[in-house]
């Protein structure tokens, strides 16, 4: 088996850099030693684009380089039983047949480590301290995630495009970063009190999302947060202080009740063609772009404390009836 590897020796230690030309082996075992010297590292891009189907990593491995198994589309099985506790950036990116991975010996998962892999279930235990951006982005087969790790931040793009991920438990989470669940398959979202920060585009274009419970400490709906969530017909705004730019643009909202203290960013409800009823209890002036392109608004109830309504505010809804309360 040792004869199939390309490797370099430095200070009495071996780094594997790839497979020799013409090697047909698909079941690979990284040895503990070569020529009596410990094999301590798998170099960057060592096995990228190869046809390996399974790999067992030797116990002496201390480091694995970026993209070590990038685009190994036939890879189905990985045995991770060594001294390296970091899955490096893009390590298993686009390994479309890798359906499972044991994270029990991992402390850190690097950038886009499992991007577009075939993972179907992910269980992140307490030993995991860090997840970097895009960890499971594009995993279209991913259906289940168990988040028990020490890391309480869901990084940017973490589950972007996970179209079969329909539910997620946010109890161990404090921060949801940019695009964390954008274009995912989430149907329901319940954000409990432990959530302190929700960043822009967090749930952008979650087209199956029909229910949101917003009980978190964060009282600002960020930029494009629920834009293009076409199945989201209702939302409780009672504890919201500000709705940022395009937050619900092109969503499925059918009615909106806006509290007295709520402030608004431009186009926050633009292009909501299902929107029929608005209760504007806020004292903030109504500007044209907030409801830009909302063609089907039928009735609006506006607080008599509103001092100015722009002429163009409801130009897209010619049949609207306005009442002051």
């Amino acid at each position: 088996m040792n004869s199939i590897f390309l490797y370099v020796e430095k200070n009495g230690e071996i780094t594997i850099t790839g497979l020799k030309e013409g090697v047909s082996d698909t079941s690979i075992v990284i040895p503990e030693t070569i020529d009596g010297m410990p094999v301590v590292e798998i170099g960057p891009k060592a096995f990228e684009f190869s046809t390996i189907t399974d790999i067992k990593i030797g116990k002496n491995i201390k480091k694995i380089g970026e993209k070590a198994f990038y685009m190994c589309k036939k890879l189905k099985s990985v045995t991770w039983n060594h001294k390296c506790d970091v899955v490096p950036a893009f390590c298993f990116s686009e390994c479309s047949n890798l359906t499972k991975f044991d994270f029990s010996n991992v402390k850190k998962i690097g950038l886009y480590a499992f991007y577009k892999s075939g993972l179907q279930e992910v269980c992140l235990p307490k030993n995991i301290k860090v997840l970097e951006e895009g960890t499971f982005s594009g995993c279209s087969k991913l259906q289940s995630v168990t988040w028990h790790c020490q890391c309480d931040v869901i990084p940017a793009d973490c589950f972007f495009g996970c179209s079969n991920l329909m539910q997620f438990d946010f109890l161990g989470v404090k921060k949801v970063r940019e695009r964390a669940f954008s274009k995912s398959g989430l149907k329901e979202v319940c954000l409990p009190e432990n959530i302190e920060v929700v960043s822009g585009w967090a749930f952008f274009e979650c087209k199956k999302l029909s229910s949101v419970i917003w009980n978190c400490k964060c009282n600002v709906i960020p930029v494009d947060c629920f834009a293009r969530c076409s199945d989201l017909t209702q939302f409780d705004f009672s504890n919201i202080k500000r709705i940022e730019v395009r937050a619900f643009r092109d969503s499925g909202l059918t009615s909106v009740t806006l509290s007295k203290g709520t402030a608004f960013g431009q186009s926050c409800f633009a292009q909501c063609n299902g929107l029929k009823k608005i209760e504007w209890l806020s004292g903030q002036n109504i500007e044209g772009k907030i409801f830009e392109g909302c063609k089907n608004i039928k009735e609006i109830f506006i607080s008599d404390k509103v001092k100015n309504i722009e002429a163009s505010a409801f130009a897209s809804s010619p049949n609207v009836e306005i009442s002051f309360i």
Side-chain angles (χ1 to χ4, degrees):
M1 175 67 78
N2 294 357
S3 61
I4 69 173
F5 298 109
L6 297 171
Y7 59 90
V8 295
E9 180 269 329
K10 184 178 180 181
N11 298 326
E13 296 180 326
I14 298 294
T15 296
I16 290 179
T17 59
L19 292 171
K20 290 182 179 178
E21 188 174 349
V23 171
S24 59
D25 302 54
T26 58
S27 183
I28 303 296
V29 176
I30 303 296
E32 294 183 25
T33 62
I34 292 179
D35 297 334
M37 294 176 286
V39 179
V40 299
E41 184 175 344
I42 299 174
K45 303 181 181 181
F47 296 97
E48 69 171 359
F49 297 103
S50 69
T51 58
I52 61 173
T53 58
D54 59 279
I55 188 161
K56 294 182 179 179
I57 300 174
K59 293 182 180 179
N60 288 328
I61 295 292
K62 299 177 183 177
K63 183 179 180 181
I64 297 176
E66 292 187 3
K67 293 188 175 182
F69 304 99
Y70 175 70
M71 289 285 284
C72 292
K73 290 187 174 290
K74 295 185 178 181
L75 182 62
K76 293 182 179 180
S77 174
V78 177
T79 303
W80 194 272
N81 59 346
H82 48 84
K83 298 176 182 178
C84 177
D85 55 13
V86 177
V87 181
F90 298 94
C91 187
F92 297 104
S93 179
E94 303 213 40
C95 293
S96 52
N97 272 300
L98 184 64
T99 59
K100 59 183 178 180
F101 189 90
D102 183 358
F103 292 93
S104 58
N105 295 312
V106 175
K107 288 185 179 179
K108 179 181 177 179
I109 308 175
L111 291 166
Y112 295 89
F114 292 90
Y115 171 73
K116 285 190 176 181
S117 71
L119 291 180
Q120 296 177 5
E121 297 182 5
V122 166
C123 181
L124 301 174
K126 291 182 180 180
N127 45 274
I128 294 184
K129 296 180 179 180
V130 177
L131 284 86
E132 294 190 339
E133 183 175 331
T135 315
F136 303 104
S137 177
C139 292
S140 59
K141 298 177 183 177
L142 183 61
Q143 298 178 32
S144 173
V145 176
T146 304
W147 191 281
H148 289 159
C149 52
Q150 294 181 49
C151 177
D152 56 11
V153 178
I154 301 178
D157 297 300
C158 189
F159 299 105
F160 182 100
C162 295
S163 54
N164 276 299
L165 181 62
M166 296 184 182
Q167 59 184 11
F168 188 91
D169 184 351
F170 290 89
L171 279 176
V173 176
K174 288 186 177 180
K175 298 178 181 179
V176 183
R177 292 301 190 191
E178 290 83 357
R179 302 171 301 277
F181 292 91
S182 180
K183 297 188 178 183
S184 73
L186 290 180
K187 290 186 174 182
E188 298 179 356
V189 167
C190 179
L191 300 177
E193 290 184 1
N194 46 276
I195 301 282
E196 298 174 356
V197 175
V198 179
S199 299
W201 301 274
F203 303 99
F204 174 79
E205 206 170 322
C206 290
K207 292 190 175 182
K208 297 177 182 177
L209 183 61
S210 59
S211 173
V212 176
I213 299 174
W214 191 281
N215 288 333
C216 55
K217 294 177 183 177
C218 175
N219 57 16
V220 177
I221 310 291
V223 173
D224 282 300
C225 188
F226 296 104
R228 296 187 183 178
C229 293
S230 52
D231 277 2
L232 185 62
T233 59
Q234 302 292 326
F235 192 94
D236 183 358
F237 294 95
S238 57
N239 295 315
I240 303 301
K241 296 299 181 184
R242 181 168 178 81
I243 304 170
E244 293 287 8
V245 174
R246 303 181 306 276
F248 290 87
R249 186 181 189 275
D250 199 17
S251 70
L253 291 178
T254 57
S255 64
V256 169
T257 300
L258 302 167
S259 302
K260 294 180 180 180
T262 307
F264 310 93
Q266 285 299 307
S267 303
C268 57
F269 298 106
Q271 310 301 326
C272 290
N273 289 324
L275 188 58
K276 295 180 179 180
K277 180 181 177 181
I278 299 168
E279 292 181 81
W280 187 280
L281 305 180
S282 170
Q284 181 175 322
N285 294 335
I286 304 177
E287 300 175 348
K289 292 186 178 180
I290 293 177
F291 297 100
E292 183 180 29
C294 297
K295 300 177 181 179
N296 296 304
I297 301 174
K298 301 299 182 184
E299 53 183 349
I300 303 174
F301 299 91
I302 301 176
S303 168
D304 57 12
K305 294 182 180 180
V306 174
K307 295 181 179 179
N308 183 49
I309 302 173
E310 287 190 8
S312 60
F314 302 106
S316 299
S317 300
N319 298 318
V320 66
E321 293 184 6
I322 298 178
S323 303
F324 290 91
I325 55 175

